[in-house]
Amino acid sequence: MPDLPRPRLPGRAAFAVVRSDPPQVFLAEDDEVLGRVLAIKLVAQTPPEQLGSHLAEVRDALLDERWADAVLAWMSATGDVVDAYPDDTIWTEEQLDADATALEIRLSPAFREAATE
């Protein structure tokens, strides 16, 4: 059976935050693209001397297209942490127009009467 394209949900995205100095943020349309972005724009851009004993592991993972393994080895080598969020909502004006927002705020817990004992 041929690989069919995965349906894209409107208003969804994958992103990663690299806790480095300065922090870096990567945004992609899904987790598969995010893996490739991290591989090419983060892991593969690291000079070999910064990868130390993890160099062969990183190279093998990149060549085998094992993006998550490459990122894990990169984190071990650099000490930087990557927090990845593979499927999060992108909020749009359509979802949060002014009228709907005003109504939702008025119905939120912040506007309930405080419970008294």
Side-chain angles (χ1 to χ4, degrees):
M1 180 171 185
D3 286 338
L4 298 174
R6 292 187 325 161
R8 305 254 186 256
L9 298 175
R12 308 298 291 180
F15 70 95
V17 177
V18 182
R19 291 193 248 161
S20 57
D21 188 21
Q24 300 175 68
V25 177
F26 296 90
L27 179 64
E29 66 183 356
D30 62 28
D31 59 331
E32 291 177 20
V33 174
L34 181 61
R36 291 193 304 266
V37 167
L38 291 172
I40 193 68
K41 297 294 185 183
L42 180 67
V43 177
Q45 299 305 313
T46 305
E49 56 274 6
Q50 290 182 14
L51 297 173
S53 63
H54 297 278
L55 179 60
E57 182 183 3
V58 167
R59 286 179 175 171
D60 288 344
L62 290 172
L63 292 175
D64 292 340
E65 299 181 7
R66 293 181 288 113
W67 312 131
D69 292 342
V71 171
L72 287 173
W74 178 88
M75 288 192 301
S76 293
T78 64
D80 288 331
V81 175
V82 178
D83 294 321
Y85 305 89
D87 187 33
D88 282 333
T89 301
I90 298 174
W91 295 98
T92 64
E93 173 64 27
E94 184 178 307
Q95 292 169 308
L96 294 175
D97 66 48
D99 292 336
T101 300
L103 176 62
E104 191 166 335
I105 285 175
R106 284 168 178 72
L107 297 175
S108 70
F111 286 90
R112 288 187 201 147
E113 290 300 317
T116 58
E117 293 183 33

